[in-house]
Amino acid sequence: MIMLRIIFNKYILVLALIVSANTIHAQEADSLQHYLRIAAYNNHLLKSEFAVYEASLQKIPQAGAFADPQLEIGFFLQPMDIIDGKQVADFKLMQMFPWFGTRKAARTEAQHMSKMAYEKFRETRDNLYFEIYNQWFVLCNLKQRLVNTQANKDILTHLEELALRRFSSSNTGASSKAASTPSASTTPVAANSSGGMGGMGMGGGQAAQTTTASMSAGGGGMGGASSGMSDVLRIQLEIAELDNNIKSINSEMIAAKAKFNSLLSRPANESVVIPDRFEKLPFVYDNEESTLENIMDNNPMLKMITEESLAYKAKGEMDKKMSYPMFGVGINYTMINKRMDDGMGLPITHMNGKDMIMPMVSVTLPIFRKKYNAQQKESMLYWQSSQEKYANTQKELEAQYYTVKHQINDADRKIELYIKQTELAQTTYNIIIQEFISGKSDLTNVMQVQRQLLDYQLKQSEAIAEYNTMIASLQRLISNTEKE
């Protein structure tokens, strides 16, 4: 019994060391922010969306630029005779100008389109970060499952030692008891003939009684040994199952790490540092009205639709301006050579051979109004479509918010329940181990409580992963997933 007490104290010491190690790991810095920065720099889809945004910025100077000037040059193969010389060539230069405000409306449209591309980039970034958060919590849950399963395996290993000690003690006690019991062959029998029958009967009864007692003691010893050995085997079966679970978790972690590294655009076998302790994210819940207001103000989908609506509005203004006349200012330069006196009596004046310069003004006449009206109506319909899309997205986000809020509250309740159940199961396990050591309880009760303890630990880890994922989902709704 003293040896069993020593083993139990050793088991308590191992548990204390495990808890101490988990506390040390919990104090280490979280590396998730490091992986988020890696994803921001490496993820190909994110870099693609940012390149689209940068490309959209180049649309702004294009939209606000004037049309290219037109230069026309004409040469005469044979100079054309005119009164004051010979016309050799014509040069015409013309610059067109849109109606007032057209360029500003075009720049405004391009600016809103670039902001729309930026909001699309934000949406892609938030979705990427959410996927990283989600996969990170999957890894943390797997790591916590591995830690809990390994800890329970250690507990079973020490429980196996207790069962072996108990088995050895029962075998030793049974052997000692069998050696000290008298045998039936040593029982004296009366030899006189007068009491032969009575002595024979008495002697036979005593022998039978003694033999029965001896068999009962021997049978009890073999039964106790068999029971003790079956306890050891049952514990070994549980350990084998936990070993298989540990291998399965390790295999699952390899696949989960590969998916996590793919989000970071890294090799699949790149190492990922995961904390041993998995806890709830610190989260301060605002009131419902404030949270919904933040979602409506910050969500990139709503902002993207808003910018799209403003772009269509600016396009409608530009279409309206383009339905007005355009103006052109230019110059016509005529190259003239001098004309010599040909004897025909034509006078030669001081204008002979002098080049001519003629300023020009042109105006477009947008008289075909059907296409301009159609353009304006098209922009108006697109603007109305954006308004309806915005209202629909608002309702969808509001519904998502209430769904996520319910899931957060549900996961929080589960965590509190499993923490309480884990504490009760741990207390029950400590008590039943004492009873098992003292022989007041059998292994079946110990194994049942041990399974419940492991089950509550695993459920608690899953509930924390679900809670943290829902927090990240809520942060994505208000575009608050960036922690840098």
Side-chain angles (χ1 to χ4, degrees):
M1 184 64 65
I2 296 176
M3 183 62 68
L4 293 179
R5 294 286 183 184
I6 295 174
I7 295 175
F8 178 73
N9 292 335
K10 180 182 177 183
Y11 152 74
I12 295 296
L13 179 60
V14 170
L15 281 183
L17 291 176
I18 293 174
V19 173
S20 176
N22 287 340
T23 304
I24 293 174
H25 283 294
Q27 294 174 353
E28 296 178 354
D30 192 359
S31 57
L32 178 57
Q33 303 308 315
H34 171 66
Y35 294 127
L36 288 176
R37 286 191 292 269
I38 292 177
Y41 287 111
N42 291 351
N43 186 266
H44 299 298
L45 179 60
L46 194 60
K47 290 194 292 186
S48 172
E49 292 295 340
F50 189 75
V52 171
Y53 163 65
E54 289 184 318
S56 67
L57 291 176
Q58 305 305 316
K59 290 285 187 180
I60 299 176
Q62 299 178 47
F66 288 106
D68 293 332
Q70 294 181 352
L71 175 63
E72 298 180 7
I73 302 176
F75 292 94
F76 292 94
L77 298 179
Q78 292 183 354
M80 179 178 292
D81 291 332
I82 58 176
I83 295 177
D84 289 318
K86 293 184 177 182
Q87 185 176 357
V88 177
D90 275 342
F91 299 90
K92 294 181 180 179
L93 180 64
M94 180 66 66
Q95 174 65 57
M96 300 300 295
F97 296 94
W99 190 263
F100 307 103
T102 303
R103 292 173 58 243
K104 181 179 179 181
R107 284 195 301 268
T108 302
E109 179 194 7
Q111 288 172 353
H112 288 303
M113 292 298 290
S114 66
K115 291 179 181 178
M116 180 179 171
Y118 176 73
E119 297 301 330
K120 181 66 168 63
F121 160 74
R122 283 184 59 214
E123 175 73 8
T124 303
R125 181 206 62 187
D126 292 348
N127 289 336
L128 171 64
Y129 282 5
F130 175 72
E131 290 183 19
I132 292 175
Y133 272 108
N134 186 29
Q135 194 63 24
W136 175 259
F137 298 141
V138 170
L139 286 171
C140 290
N141 182 31
L142 289 174
K143 184 65 176 288
Q144 190 64 41
R145 284 174 55 190
L146 184 63
V147 171
N148 292 335
T149 305
Q150 186 63 53
N152 275 268
K153 179 186 173 183
D154 295 338
I155 292 174
L156 286 178
T157 301
H158 292 286
L159 187 61
E160 182 185 12
E161 294 180 7
L162 292 178
L164 284 172
R165 294 290 180 182
R166 189 174 183 179
F167 170 65
S168 300
S169 300
S170 63
N171 276 348
T172 303
S175 299
S176 301
K177 186 175 181 180
S180 62
T181 302
S183 175
S185 60
T186 61
T187 303
V189 180
N192 54 19
S193 59
S194 60
M197 294 300 294
M200 181 73 68
M202 185 181 298
Q206 184 177 359
Q209 183 178 1
T210 306
T211 304
T212 302
S214 176
M215 290 179 64
S216 175
M222 292 183 65
S226 175
S227 175
M229 192 59 194
S230 67
D231 288 347
V232 175
L233 293 177
R234 288 169 62 189
I235 295 173
Q236 290 177 351
L237 286 173
E238 291 290 330
I239 293 176
E241 183 177 354
L242 291 182
D243 284 334
N244 179 70
N245 292 341
I246 290 174
K247 292 179 181 178
S248 177
I249 294 173
N250 284 325
S251 176
E252 192 174 353
M253 284 189 68
I254 293 175
K257 286 181 179 180
K259 183 177 180 180
F260 184 79
N261 282 321
S262 69
L263 296 173
L264 274 60
S265 298
R266 302 196 309 177
N269 57 353
E270 190 81 14
S271 63
V272 179
V273 180
I274 308 170
D276 291 335
R277 192 169 182 83
F278 188 34
E279 296 179 345
K280 289 170 54 177
L281 286 177
F283 178 71
V284 179
Y285 183 77
D286 296 331
N287 59 68
E288 181 177 305
E289 183 179 355
S290 176
T291 304
L292 284 174
E293 185 178 352
N294 287 333
I295 292 175
M296 301 310 165
D297 291 340
N298 300 325
N299 187 268
M301 283 297 296
L302 289 178
K303 283 184 170 292
M304 184 168 60
I305 297 174
T306 299
E307 296 299 333
E308 180 187 42
S309 176
L310 293 174
Y312 284 131
K313 186 176 181 180
K315 183 179 181 298
E317 184 67 22
M318 184 185 67
D319 291 338
K320 182 179 179 180
K321 300 290 185 182
M322 290 182 66
S323 67
Y324 299 153
M326 295 180 64
F327 300 94
V329 178
I331 188 172
N332 187 5
Y333 174 75
T334 302
M335 182 182 297
I336 300 175
N337 290 339
K338 289 185 177 181
R339 178 176 62 83
M340 305 302 294
D341 186 6
D342 54 2
M344 298 179 61
L346 294 175
I348 297 177
T349 64
H350 67 283
M351 297 293 295
N352 183 29
K354 188 173 183 180
D355 297 339
M356 291 188 298
I357 298 176
M358 180 177 62
M360 295 187 303
V361 177
S362 66
V363 179
T364 61
L365 302 177
I367 59 176
F368 302 104
R369 305 301 303 172
K370 193 172 183 179
K371 66 174 183 179
Y372 296 109
N373 294 335
Q375 287 177 349
Q376 296 177 47
K377 187 175 181 179
E378 176 189 9
S379 299
M380 178 59 66
L381 290 174
Y382 275 126
W383 178 81
Q384 291 178 359
S385 173
S386 297
Q387 296 296 308
E388 297 297 334
K389 190 190 301 184
Y390 184 90
N392 182 70
T393 305
Q394 271 188 323
K395 296 299 182 182
E396 289 181 351
L397 290 176
E398 185 176 355
Q400 290 180 26
Y401 162 72
Y402 283 110
T403 301
V404 170
K405 179 183 175 184
H406 162 70
Q407 292 173 340
I408 289 175
N409 294 334
D410 186 60
D412 194 31
R413 286 192 298 268
K414 288 181 181 178
I415 292 173
E416 296 298 327
L417 172 63
Y418 295 141
I419 288 176
K420 183 176 181 180
Q421 288 178 327
T422 301
E423 292 175 352
L424 292 175
Q426 185 65 60
T427 303
T428 304
Y429 187 80
N430 294 336
I431 295 174
I432 205 168
I433 277 291
Q434 293 277 11
E435 295 176 351
F436 177 74
I437 293 174
S438 60
K440 297 179 181 179
S441 180
D442 59 2
L443 183 65
T444 302
N445 295 331
V446 176
M447 299 294 291
Q448 182 179 2
V449 176
Q450 187 269 338
R451 289 195 193 101
Q452 288 179 338
L453 177 60
L454 177 59
D455 182 60
Y456 293 146
Q457 289 173 341
L458 297 181
K459 287 182 177 180
Q460 178 183 343
S461 176
E462 292 177 359
I464 293 176
E466 181 183 358
Y467 177 87
N468 290 348
T469 301
M470 291 302 103
I471 294 298
S473 180
L474 181 60
Q475 291 174 340
R476 181 183 59 165
L477 288 179
I478 59 178
S479 190
N480 192 29
T481 53
E482 185 176 11
K483 300 294 182 185
E484 301 179 31

